[in-house]
């Protein structure tokens, strides 16, 4: 131990230009740090002997110094990181995190100015910056604040890499000028070199390098920084980008202001197989809770009238009908959507909440985030953007027995907007309220940082299935993307799993659902969120197959474990989730040809009684009882737009 400490001390005392190496615990991932080109810091990443991130720039430009060049590496201090934690509301309840950490301290003009902190686990590389305060000037003044003007942080990928990316939209466009809201269509298996629609890409960003996959994202972003995007600067060179000037209706700076010393959010790189991508917990491994939960929060399933019946359904009688529907399903909640304050009123909402309580059901209430950042007219409006009014509203909700809120139509990723997310969450926790965000940014480790956070949309979600037949036609394709990209890094409020044939009250008009009933059951497991408000309707109690209704009554929304089995982004996906002792193996297919696979399922012992939900070629579903054979294998066939579900009884 003494020898190790002496060596560490020597490393810290000696300026060095020799490349420094950080290894993953299993030795398969190597990160190399080096200085080149007049003191510019670089890193590169090897996985199993192959360079998966070629030399890429590090550094920050601030208003107190340019820390992208003219640097010397003072040394690297290393340690092992070992943490065990539990979260009920992510993909993996119990996490045993192991990584090697290296803190590289960079000097400029003889003064330590910046640390780059690397964490390397067996499937993830992550780094962030720590800025030091400046030494006193001749007048004795110390610089204790700064503005980060830009990040040099880049990710340079090898030639031949293909991309699976979601373009960032322009600011102040789309419905009521509410974009960007992370709701654009992915491009799949495209070559590098494009910059989306000119504004880069929203996180997370997936890349394929022959047989190796790379997922780039960020985590730990709060009110102390901005939400970032990925900009392509030609070929395989991608760089961190700050928000666009037009976001937040032009209010506020695109750059973050920090009090010193300060640490930036983490940039994350998940590497290896698709199993590594789907199963990663890196967004949560790198953050810590910001406050304690004020109560034991209740998750679960719920119903939601708006997706089928739209705005007019937000009236007292229909919401009471949906309360009865949730109770009949054994679900825990009802989401009362926009305009409830006008079309029902506060007093009658309180009456609904009291009625729901007698049925073992609680309410979530929808709110507009505005504000002055877009033109979204839906009410309640002007409540969540003002601390005084917001806390009064939340006090009323607490007294009324409301379980949570769904806040919509945010205004971008600038620092004031990121602070608003944090303020809403913190205030809501004071009053025991869960929070769902919609029309919003990507969550960045928030399930662990904020104990009352549930999920965010940040995806082309189920509302588009109501609004356009094109979305229905592409439903399976899009669903086969999300488990590999969007839903890998955070809970996703999708609002899917419809059993209506049509998205309309009478189930005879409107957009037509192309996917099967078994697909709907599989999606309830594929899309991870601790609270799920499904697109089922009261009429499904009599017009949907009894086996489908029975499944939707029982399907969990919190999970203990996830295992990737097979798939390819945009084509098909088969994965397994465990809740307690019950496993759910589910799959869906977007390809024209049926997917036929022989699955090895070691989670089911020989002779285990199983329920198998499957589709025929005409998407007619059924449920059959079956026992696991001695090889613990099962052959499944999934037609286009169909699904499969295998669960132990």
């Amino acid at each position: 131990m003494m020898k190790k400490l002496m060596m560490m001390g020597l490393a810290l005392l000696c300026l060095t230009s020799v490349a420094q190496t950080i290894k993953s615990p299993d030795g398969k991932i190597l990160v190399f740090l080096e200085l080149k080109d007049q003191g510019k810091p670089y890193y590169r990443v090897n996985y199993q002997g192959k360079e998966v991130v070629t030399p890429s720039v590090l550094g920050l430009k601030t208003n107190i110094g340019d820390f992208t060049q003219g640097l010397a590496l003072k040394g690297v201090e290393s340690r092992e990181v070992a943490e065990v934690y539990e979260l009920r509301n992510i993909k993996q309840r119990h996490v045993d995190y192991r990584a090697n950490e290296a803190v590289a301290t960079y000097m400029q003009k003889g003064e330590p100015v910046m640390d780059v902190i690397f964490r390397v686990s067996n499937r993830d590389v992550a780094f962030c910056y720590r800025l030091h305060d400046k030494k006193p000037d001749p007048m004795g003044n110390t610089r204790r604040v700064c503005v980060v003007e830009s990040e040099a942080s880049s990710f340079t990928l090898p030639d031949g890499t293909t991309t699976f990316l979601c373009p960032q939209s322009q600011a102040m466009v789309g419905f009521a000028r509410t974009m960007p809201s992370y709701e654009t269509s992915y491009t799949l298996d495209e070559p590098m070199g494009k910059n989306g629609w000119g504004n880069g890409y929203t996180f997370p960003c997936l890349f394929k390098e022959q047989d190796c996959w790379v997922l780039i994202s960020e985590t730990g972003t709060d009110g102390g920084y901005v939400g970032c995007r990925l900009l392509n600067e030609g070929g395989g060179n991608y760089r961190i980008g700050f928000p666009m000037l037009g976001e937040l209706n032009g209010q506020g700076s695109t750059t973050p202001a920090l009090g010193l010393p300060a640490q930036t959010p983490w940039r994350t790189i998940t590497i290896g197989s698709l199993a590594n991508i789907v199963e990663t917990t890196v967004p949560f491994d790198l953050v810590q809770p910001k406050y304690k939960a004020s109560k034991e929060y209740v998750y679960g399933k719920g119903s939601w009238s708006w997706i089928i019946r739209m705005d007019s359904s937000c009236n007292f009688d229909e919401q009471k009908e949906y309360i009865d529907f949730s109770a009949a399903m054994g679900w825990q909640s009802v989401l009362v959507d926009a305009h409830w304050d006008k079309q029902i009123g506060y007093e009658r909402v309180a009456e609904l909440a009291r009625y729901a309580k007698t049925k073992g059901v609680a309410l979530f209430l929808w709110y507009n985030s505005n504000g002055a950042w877009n033109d979204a007219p839906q009410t309640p409006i002007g409540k969540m953007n003002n601390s005084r009014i917001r806390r009064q509203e939340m006090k009323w909700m607490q007294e009324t027995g409301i379980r949570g809120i769904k806040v919509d139509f945010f205004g971008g990723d600038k620092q004031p907007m990121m602070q608003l997310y944090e303020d809403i969450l913190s205030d809501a926790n004071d009053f025991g309220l869960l929070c769902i965000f919609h029309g919003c940014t990507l969550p960045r480790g928030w399930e662990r940082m904020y104990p009352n956070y549930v999920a965010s949309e940040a995806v082309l979600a189920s509302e588009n299935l109501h609004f356009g037949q094109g979305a229905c036609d592409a439903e399976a394709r899009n669903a086969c993307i999300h488990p590999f990209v969007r839903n890998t890094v955070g809970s996703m409020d999708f609002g899917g799993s419809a059993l209506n044939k049509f998205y309309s009250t009478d189930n005879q008009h409107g957009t037509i659902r192309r996917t099967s009933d078994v697909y709907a059951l599989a999606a309830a497991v594929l899309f991870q969120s601790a609270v799920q408000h499904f697109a089922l309707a009261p009429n499904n109690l009599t017009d949907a197959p009894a086996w489908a209704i029975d499944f939707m009554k029982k399907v969990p929304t919190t999970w203990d474990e996830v295992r990737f089995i097979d798939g390819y982004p945009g084509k098909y996906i088969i994965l397994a989730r465990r809740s307690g002792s019950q496993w759910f193996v589910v799959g869906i297919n977007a390809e024209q040809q049926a997917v036929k696979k022989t699955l090895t399922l070691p989670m089911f012992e020989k002779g285990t009684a199983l329920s198998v939900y499957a589709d025929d070629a005409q998407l007619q579903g059924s449920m059959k009882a079956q026992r696991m054979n001695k090889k613990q294998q099962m052959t499944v066939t999934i037609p286009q737009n169909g699904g499969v579900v295998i669960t132990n009884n």
Side-chain angles (χ1 to χ4, degrees):
M1 177 62 74
M2 182 61 68
K3 183 178 180 181
K4 183 178 179 181
L5 290 172
M6 290 174 64
M7 292 175 65
M8 186 180 295
L10 288 172
L12 286 169
L13 289 170
C14 298
L15 299 180
T16 177
S17 59
V18 178
Q20 304 292 307
T21 305
I22 314 157
K23 295 183 179 181
S24 61
D26 64 5
K28 293 182 179 180
I29 299 177
L30 301 178
V31 177
F32 301 95
L33 304 181
E34 50 196 338
L35 285 169
K36 300 190 294 185
D37 307 329
Q38 289 84 45
K40 293 182 180 179
Y42 285 80
Y43 77 100
R44 54 191 171 90
V45 182
N46 279 20
Y47 177 69
Q48 294 184 323
K50 175 185 176 183
E51 195 162 71
V52 294
V53 179
T54 63
S56 301
V57 180
L58 295 166
L60 303 172
K61 285 187 178 181
T62 79
N63 65 349
I64 61 171
D66 180 354
F67 307 135
T68 66
Q69 58 187 343
L71 300 175
L73 180 59
K74 180 180 180 181
V76 178
E77 182 177 358
S78 301
R79 72 182 182 103
E80 295 179 357
V81 177
E83 184 184 11
V84 176
Y85 64 92
E86 290 205 358
L87 281 178
R88 294 187 298 134
N89 56 339
I90 64 170
K91 67 180 85 170
Q92 183 90 13
R93 181 180 182 122
H94 178 87
V95 179
D96 188 353
Y97 176 57
R98 298 287 185 271
N100 290 325
E101 180 181 276
V103 180
T105 299
Y106 291 90
M107 307 276 288
Q108 194 176 68
K109 298 177 181 178
E111 178 184 354
V113 292
M114 177 181 73
D115 298 334
V116 183
I117 306 170
F118 271 87
R119 290 267 191 95
V120 184
S121 71
N122 289 342
R123 60 189 174 200
D124 308 291
V125 173
F127 65 89
C128 68
Y129 301 96
R130 185 162 58 208
L131 289 171
H132 300 264
D133 51 13
K134 301 280 281 183
K135 288 182 178 179
D137 62 19
M139 300 296 293
N141 298 314
T142 300
R143 296 294 292 270
R144 303 189 188 279
V145 297
C146 81
V147 171
V148 179
E149 296 172 343
S150 65
E151 277 198 34
S153 309
S154 69
F155 312 84
T156 305
L157 304 173
D159 292 344
T161 297
T162 59
T163 70
F164 301 75
L165 301 173
C166 183
Q168 175 76 290
S169 72
Q170 292 281 1
M172 303 296 292
V173 298
F175 171 74
R177 300 195 301 160
T178 56
M179 299 180 82
S181 51
Y182 291 59
E183 297 179 50
T184 58
S185 296
Y186 283 83
T187 58
L188 303 179
D189 250 333
E190 288 204 347
M192 299 184 297
K194 299 179 182 179
N195 195 36
W197 302 340
N199 307 301
Y201 301 96
T202 61
F203 286 124
C205 299
L206 182 63
F207 301 88
K208 184 176 185 291
E209 304 174 6
Q210 296 180 352
D211 59 348
C212 181
W213 295 83
V214 174
L215 184 77
I216 298 172
S217 194
E218 66 179 2
T219 191
T221 309
D222 58 16
Y225 213 73
V226 295
C228 295
R229 54 195 162 123
L230 204 60
L231 303 175
N232 182 269
E233 297 190 318
N237 186 36
Y238 294 83
R239 179 179 61 81
I240 291 291
F242 286 167
M244 297 172 285
L245 183 62
E247 294 179 31
L248 198 57
N249 199 17
Q251 303 173 62
S253 171
T254 62
T255 56
L258 308 175
L260 299 176
Q263 183 169 309
T264 68
W266 293 88
R267 283 68 186 87
T268 65
I269 312 168
T270 302
I271 301 166
S273 65
L274 280 173
N276 282 3
I277 303 298
V278 171
E279 297 171 14
T280 183
T281 55
V282 71
F284 321 109
D285 298 337
L286 299 167
V287 301
Q288 294 293 326
K290 287 182 165 289
Y291 50 75
K292 291 183 178 180
S294 64
K295 59 187 283 188
E296 182 77 8
Y297 286 106
V298 176
Y299 304 123
K301 302 179 284 292
S303 62
W304 177 40
S305 69
W306 184 89
I307 183 60
I308 298 295
R309 302 184 183 183
M310 305 308 287
D311 287 348
S312 63
S313 70
C314 195
N315 60 72
F316 184 90
D317 291 339
E318 289 187 72
Q319 294 310 303
K320 188 174 180 181
E321 180 186 3
Y322 268 79
I323 290 170
D324 291 338
F325 174 50
S326 280
M329 294 293 293
W331 293 352
Q332 292 74 38
S333 61
V334 170
L335 170 61
V336 184
D337 218 287
H339 301 300
W340 60 264
D341 59 326
K342 304 294 186 183
Q343 295 174 191
I344 302 175
Y346 280 77
E347 289 186 7
R348 298 218 78 189
V349 163
E351 184 180 340
L352 279 174
R354 290 191 296 270
Y355 177 75
K357 186 176 181 180
T358 68
K359 298 282 187 172
V361 175
L363 304 184
F364 280 73
L365 297 181
W366 185 98
Y367 281 86
N368 195 325
S369 79
N370 268 318
W373 32 87
N374 53 52
D375 302 320
Q378 286 86 346
T379 63
I381 197 168
K383 307 282 189 182
M384 289 294 129
N385 59 298
N386 180 290
S387 177
R388 173 183 56 81
I389 299 172
R390 179 172 65 237
R391 291 183 66 85
Q392 289 176 349
E393 195 82 358
M394 289 177 173
K395 185 175 187 296
W396 169 79
M397 284 188 271
Q398 182 184 49
E399 293 169 347
T400 305
I402 304 302
R403 177 162 294 163
I405 54 176
K406 178 178 178 178
V407 188
D408 207 341
F409 299 130
F410 286 87
D413 287 338
K414 291 180 179 177
Q415 191 170 7
M417 190 55 59
M418 305 311 288
Q419 185 63 57
L420 179 64
Y421 285 109
E422 186 165 31
D423 290 345
I424 290 172
L425 285 159
S426 178
D427 284 350
N429 184 63
D430 288 346
F431 295 97
L433 298 169
L434 290 168
C435 291
I436 299 169
F437 296 131
H438 219 62
C440 59
T441 194
L442 182 78
R444 295 161 166 91
W446 292 356
E447 290 91 332
R448 193 174 186 199
M449 294 163 66
Y450 308 107
N452 57 322
Y453 169 79
V454 176
S456 297
E457 184 187 26
V459 71
L460 271 173
S462 62
E463 61 202 47
N464 297 281
L465 301 171
H466 189 116
F467 292 139
Q469 188 58 47
C472 290
D473 296 343
E475 181 182 4
R477 174 187 178 274
N478 290 328
C480 288
I481 301 169
H482 305 323
F484 297 103
V485 191
R486 163 65 183 89
N487 212 185
T488 63
V489 299
S491 301
M492 185 174 74
D493 184 51
F494 193 87
S497 294
L499 290 176
N500 265 24
K501 185 62 177 175
F502 295 85
Y503 281 88
S504 64
T505 302
D506 64 7
N507 201 13
Q508 296 181 26
H509 302 86
T511 54
I512 304 169
R513 180 167 61 95
R514 300 298 190 191
T515 54
S516 72
D517 291 341
V518 178
Y519 169 99
L521 310 191
V525 176
L526 282 174
F527 295 162
Q528 182 269 318
S529 174
V531 173
Q532 293 262 29
H533 288 111
F534 294 121
L536 273 65
N539 53 277
N540 297 145
L541 289 171
T542 55
D543 63 15
W547 50 263
I549 292 295
D550 289 343
F551 180 91
M552 294 301 294
K553 287 179 178 180
K554 299 173 184 176
V555 64
T557 62
T558 55
W559 303 101
D560 296 304
E561 189 175 352
V562 59
R563 291 188 196 174
F564 172 73
I565 297 175
D566 199 358
Y568 193 91
K571 295 183 178 181
Y572 71 99
I573 171 74
I574 304 171
L575 61 72
R577 296 193 193 274
R578 178 177 63 85
S579 177
S581 61
Q582 190 170 22
W583 281 95
F584 294 78
V585 177
V586 300
I588 59 173
N589 175 33
E591 294 286 271
Q592 288 187 355
Q593 298 298 317
V595 168
K596 185 175 182 179
K597 296 286 180 178
T598 297
L599 308 178
T600 299
L601 303 174
M603 66 283 293
F604 301 131
E605 295 182 359
K606 172 189 172 183
T608 299
L610 303 173
S611 295
V612 180
Y613 304 78
D615 286 312
D616 63 18
Q618 289 72 45
L619 297 184
Q620 295 300 309
S622 63
M623 189 277 286
K624 296 179 180 178
Q626 193 168 329
R627 290 195 176 272
M628 178 52 67
N629 62 29
K630 62 181 180 180
K631 291 184 177 181
Q632 295 175 285
Q633 292 183 333
M634 183 178 296
T635 299
V636 300
T637 301
I638 313 173
Q640 184 183 27
N641 292 326
V644 67
V645 177
I646 306 164
T647 182
N648 52 312
N649 298 325

